[in-house]
Amino acid sequence: MVSSIQGDGDIDSRSDADIIKSVLAGETADFEEIIRRYQPRIFGTIRKYARRESEVDDIAQEVFIKAFRKLHTWRAEAPFEHWIMRLSVRTCYDFLRKHQRNRENAFTDLSDPEKDWLQDFVKAPDDNHSEKQGAGDLVHTLMEQMSPAGKLILQLQEIEQKSVKEIADITGWSISLVKVRAFRARNEMRKHLEKIDLTQYL
Amino acid sequence: MEQKMSLEKLQNQLIQSARRAPVNDRVPLGFEKRVMNRLYGEKGYGNRLSQMARGMWAACAPAIVLAVVAFFLSQPANQSIPADLALENAVMSPLMAENEIW
């Protein structure tokens, strides 16, 4: 259970289940407490998938509107947090699929920090460069080129290190489909990285 | 072979970097109010529509009952056309008249 400070300074110490019961009984205003509790986590999750900051707000609104409409489907057996996080990841995936665009040529126009990072990497590939500026930008560029399913799997499996079973639970895909898509995502990532001509940074 | 090794290392370093990246969970000011306004908007709209439908039905129902009663009272005991056809004619005649106007 998470509690939060309301606008007037009072702390709402009710459990998620109690608040949801109240919302379902017609107290729509209580849903604001649910938004207040979960909005930082939802925004954090969405920013891992959205391309631009302007998209983040739209997706977050969509998540909470969907959550309100589907609130009656939440079974109190599992924490509400899991339910709403699953909803947010699936909403992000739907958004990525709806807004697919041309993902070509992203590695041909790298920024200076990205080029500097690649130069450092090529000079000493065994050193740890992952904390340096430029690596984050390159990850972002790489993620931009991935297909929606590839991006989702890469984020959940490689970056968040979730198990196949957890990914299946979050995405609603079968275990075998997760495995197939994970295999394809790794190949896809490798193909994109192959487009970087490392020899030009020698 | 060397290129393959480099790609493997490059991939690992990028993933390590992504794992270290801090989560940006900043929320725009007043976000919860905006979502609630959207919800109230949708709910209010739905309520207004259902209220309007209920009001229209409440206004129409007595008029329909009166029309049916008036129709049956105005019919002679021995009518030459069947009752269902007569009812259809009575109901449709205002629409036919309207079509003619247009």
Side-chain angles (χ1 to χ4, degrees), chain A residues 28 32 47 126-127 130, chain B residues 9 13 20 24 33 43:
Chain A
T28 306
E32 194 171 332
R47 283 197 181 96
D126 291 320
D127 291 356
S130 60
Chain B
K9 285 173 187 168
Q13 296 235 1
R20 284 204 183 97
N24 176 2
K33 300 282 176 206
K43 249 189 128 191

Side-chain angles (χ1 to χ4, degrees), chain B residues 2-70:
Chain B
E2 203 173 305
Q3 168 82 355
K4 205 175 175 184
M5 283 285 287
S6 292
L7 279 178
E8 185 89 35
K9 285 173 187 168
L10 175 64
Q11 184 178 315
N12 289 340
Q13 296 235 1
L14 290 178
I15 286 170
Q16 287 296 325
S17 164
R19 283 180 192 160
R20 284 204 183 97
V23 176
N24 176 2
D25 60 2
R26 191 182 53 78
V27 177
L29 199 68
F31 173 78
E32 67 273 23
K33 300 282 176 206
R34 272 186 287 135
V35 176
M36 290 311 290
N37 284 342
R38 243 184 95 175
L39 284 176
Y40 286 133
E42 285 177 15
K43 249 189 128 191
Y45 179 69
N47 285 347
R48 276 198 302 276
L49 274 184
S50 58
Q51 276 171 3
M52 211 156 62
R54 273 200 299 272
M56 284 171 77
W57 175 243
C60 285
I64 292 170
V65 171
L66 277 176
V68 172
V69 170

Side-chain angles (χ1 to χ4, degrees), chain A residues 108-174:
Chain A
T108 56
D109 196 20
L110 293 176
S111 66
D112 286 340
E114 287 173 312
K115 286 175 186 168
D116 292 345
W117 188 87
L118 280 170
Q119 246 165 8
D120 290 346
F121 169 77
V122 170
K123 274 181 203 156
D126 291 320
D127 291 356
N128 183 11
H129 305 278
S130 60
E131 285 178 61
K132 291 180 189 166
Q133 195 203 350
D137 297 348
L138 260 177
V139 171
H140 184 76
T141 308
L142 173 68
M143 291 294 249
E144 283 298 282
Q145 298 197 61
M146 297 290 289
S147 63
K151 190 174 185 173
L152 190 71
I153 285 278
L154 191 61
Q155 177 63 42
L156 293 171
Q157 192 175 44
E158 302 291 341
I159 300 172
E160 294 180 27
Q161 295 174 284
K162 293 198 187 296
S163 69
V164 170
K165 194 178 173 300
E166 284 173 312
I167 298 170
D169 185 45
I170 291 168
T171 56
W173 300 338
S174 67

Side-chain angles (χ1 to χ4, degrees), chain A residues 57-120:
Chain A
D57 199 285
D58 290 346
I59 302 172
Q61 284 198 34
E62 193 62 35
V63 168
F64 284 109
I65 298 286
K66 267 190 197 173
F68 180 80
R69 287 184 189 145
K70 294 184 172 183
L71 211 52
H72 64 280
T73 66
W74 175 62
R75 300 278 168 262
E77 297 140 12
F80 179 71
E81 186 180 356
H82 294 180
W83 185 84
I84 198 161
M85 294 315 291
R86 211 162 41 222
L87 186 72
S88 69
V89 170
R90 289 180 188 184
T91 307
C92 286
Y93 179 60
D94 289 344
F95 186 90
L96 288 176
R97 286 203 310 167
K98 260 189 222 163
H99 297 86
Q100 283 196 72
R101 56 186 87 147
N102 187 10
R103 300 186 296 266
E104 292 297 312
N105 303 325
F107 282 125
T108 56
D109 196 20
L110 293 176
S111 66
D112 286 340
E114 287 173 312
K115 286 175 186 168
D116 292 345
W117 188 87
L118 280 170
Q119 246 165 8
D120 290 346

